[in-house]
């Protein structure tokens, strides 16, 4: 198991970053039925717990820093810092909760509210709401998307849920209305599958979507304004930096990650793109994702060859 790091051109920055990012696996998450493929991994807002959604139609909640006492570590302690670690020798993290009620198909996306109380899960064309603590299924929204849901997001205070679908729409659901299962709004501007959706971290009245048609659309729900930025390549995912200033955009056609300046959104492409990352991660066939480290100095990207690449 390897993590590849593409160091910054600034040597001092590259050295300081290397100390901050993990370079050695410490545990593994084992427990999905029949070793089912895991389609999504998501950390809770406080960073203490993580969730996995899999093809076995379940979501599991883990404490990654606590080892499962039923499976004590064996050979792991004998590895040196520079050795390749065998996955089978990694100790197992503790599974705390399993969510399965209402999940009728493989899990494609999930999200947790800022308070760590509610979990929303996408399975095929449906959205399922669970209480994160008790595991109880509270609601199930279905019958409105005509194709698989690719991504989900929660609005501020978990008052709204958002679903982005292969049917080229984004639907917004009112979490406070317990008598209606109808979406309160449908965003239909995309010309192809909507691959990702999120609520802006700094300005929660902004909803940002990414589509295979190559366009990132930003909806200002207060002003009723849409801003479009055309990247001219199919987009598979987006990730916002924690300071809210940048957006990492995964391009499928050219296997390139574009770092966009959100302050320049709506400007010419030359002023929008701050940097591009390519050549170190492999892409072109699958929807890859990326994430910023907590200090926004490093971008971690998935790769089709099984590596995690750090830029």
């Amino acid at each position: 198991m390897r993590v590849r790091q593409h160091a910054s051109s600034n040597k001092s920055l590259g050295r300081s970053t290397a100390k901050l990012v993990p370079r050695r696996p410490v545990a593994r998450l084992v427990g999905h039925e029949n070793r089912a493929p895991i389609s999504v991994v998501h950390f809770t807002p406080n960073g203490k717990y993580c969730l996995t959604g899999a093809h076995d139609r379940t979501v599991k909640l883990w404490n990654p820093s606590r080892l499962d006492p039923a499976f004590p570590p064996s050979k792991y302690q004998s590895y040196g810092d520079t050795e390749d670690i065998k996955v089978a020798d990694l100790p197992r993290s503790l599974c705390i909760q399993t969510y399965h009620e209402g999940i009728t198909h493989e899990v494609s996306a999930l999200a947790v509210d800022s308070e760590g109380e509610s979990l929303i899960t996408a399975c095929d064309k449906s959205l399922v709401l669970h209480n994160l603590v008790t595991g109880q299924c509270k609601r199930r929204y279905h019958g409105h998307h005509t194709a698989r849901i690719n991504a989900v997001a929660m609005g501020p205070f978990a008052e709204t849920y958002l679903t982005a679908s292969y049917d080229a729409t984004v639907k917004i659901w009112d979490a406070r209305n317990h008598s209606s299962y109808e979406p309160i709004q449908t965003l239909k501007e995309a010309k192809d599958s909507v691959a990702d959706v999120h609520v802006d971290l700094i300005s929660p009245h902004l909803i940002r979507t990414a589509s295979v048609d190559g366009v990132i659309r930003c909806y200002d729900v207060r002003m009723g304004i849409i801003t479009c930025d055309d990247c001219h390549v199919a987009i598979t995912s987006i990730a916002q930096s924690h300071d809210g200033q940048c957006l990492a955009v995964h391009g499928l056609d050219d296997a390139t990650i574009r770092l966009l300046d959100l302050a320049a959104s709506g400007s010419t492409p030359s002023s929008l793109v701050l940097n591009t990352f390519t050549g170190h991660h492999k892409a072109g066939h699958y929807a890859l994702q990326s994430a910023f480290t907590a200090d926004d100095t490093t971008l971690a990207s998935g790769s089709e060859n099984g590596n995690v690449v750090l830029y």
Side-chain angles (χ1 to χ4, degrees):
M1 181 177 292
R2 288 182 178 273
V3 176
R4 288 191 173 184
Q5 180 172 345
H6 177 53
S8 166
S9 58
N10 184 316
K11 293 184 179 180
S12 61
L13 179 60
R15 286 194 296 269
S16 63
T17 302
K19 297 178 182 179
L20 297 175
V21 297
R23 300 187 63 84
R24 177 178 176 175
V26 295
R28 55 182 173 140
L29 310 179
V30 181
H32 282 285
E33 186 176 350
N34 298 323
R35 301 177 64 90
I38 295 174
S39 52
V40 57
V41 179
H42 185 90
F43 275 86
T44 55
N46 61 14
K48 295 181 179 180
Y49 305 95
C50 68
L51 297 112
T52 56
H55 286 209
D56 64 355
R57 305 178 183 181
T58 67
V59 174
K60 291 184 178 292
L61 176 66
W62 309 82
N63 184 339
S65 61
R66 183 178 176 184
L67 301 184
D68 190 335
F71 299 93
S74 53
K75 302 178 182 180
Y76 173 70
Q77 301 296 339
S78 65
Y79 284 99
D81 289 339
T82 59
E83 292 182 87
D84 279 346
I85 299 173
K86 296 180 180 179
V87 174
D89 291 339
L90 289 172
R92 298 188 181 191
S93 289
L94 181 65
C95 180
I96 304 171
Q97 181 75 274
T98 298
Y99 312 87
H100 58 81
E101 186 181 356
I103 303 177
T104 56
H105 295 78
E106 62 186 55
V107 176
S108 57
L110 60 85
V112 178
D113 72 311
S114 59
E115 301 300 320
E117 297 178 352
S118 298
L119 162 70
I120 55 174
T121 302
C123 59
D124 195 36
K125 306 169 190 176
S126 302
L127 180 70
V128 185
L129 170 66
H130 286 92
N131 182 299
L132 190 65
V133 178
T134 67
Q136 178 187 7
C137 179
K138 301 174 68 176
R139 290 175 72 83
R140 191 170 186 269
Y141 305 87
H142 62 95
H144 297 282
H145 280 295
T146 59
R148 157 189 156 125
I149 297 174
N150 295 320
V152 298
M154 284 196 182
F157 310 108
E159 294 179 348
T160 55
Y161 309 138
L162 297 92
T163 53
S165 172
Y166 191 81
D167 64 11
T169 70
V170 173
K171 294 187 183 295
I172 304 175
W173 313 82
D174 186 354
R176 299 166 297 180
N177 189 342
H178 300 295
S179 62
S180 174
Y181 289 82
E182 300 287 328
I184 57 175
Q185 188 174 358
T186 300
L187 311 178
K188 303 178 180 179
E189 286 72 23
K191 309 304 181 186
D192 207 329
S193 171
V194 182
D196 209 350
V197 60
H198 74 230
V199 177
D200 192 275
L201 297 175
I202 307 301
S203 304
H205 61 280
L206 300 178
I207 298 172
R208 195 167 286 109
T209 69
S211 173
V212 177
D213 65 11
V215 179
I216 298 171
R217 295 172 174 86
C218 183
Y219 298 83
D220 187 328
V221 296
R222 287 183 181 176
M223 305 296 294
I225 298 174
I226 304 175
T227 303
C228 299
D229 295 303
D230 194 344
C231 294
H232 302 289
V233 294
I235 302 171
T236 60
S237 69
I238 53 177
Q240 187 177 13
S241 59
H242 295 89
D243 63 9
Q245 297 182 10
C246 299
L247 191 72
V249 180
H250 256 289
L252 180 66
D253 302 333
D254 58 358
T256 298
I257 303 173
R258 292 164 174 79
L259 186 65
L260 306 187
D261 181 4
L262 291 180
S265 180
S267 305
T268 59
S270 59
S271 62
L272 187 66
V273 179
L274 297 173
N275 206 346
T276 57
F277 307 103
T278 189
H280 297 273
H281 68 280
K282 183 179 179 181
H285 297 91
Y286 300 100
L288 299 177
Q289 295 185 340
S290 58
F292 288 91
T293 54
D295 58 2
D296 286 335
T297 60
T298 304
L299 179 69
S301 169
S303 178
E304 290 180 6
N305 59 7
N307 290 328
V308 176
V309 181
L310 307 179
Y311 290 104

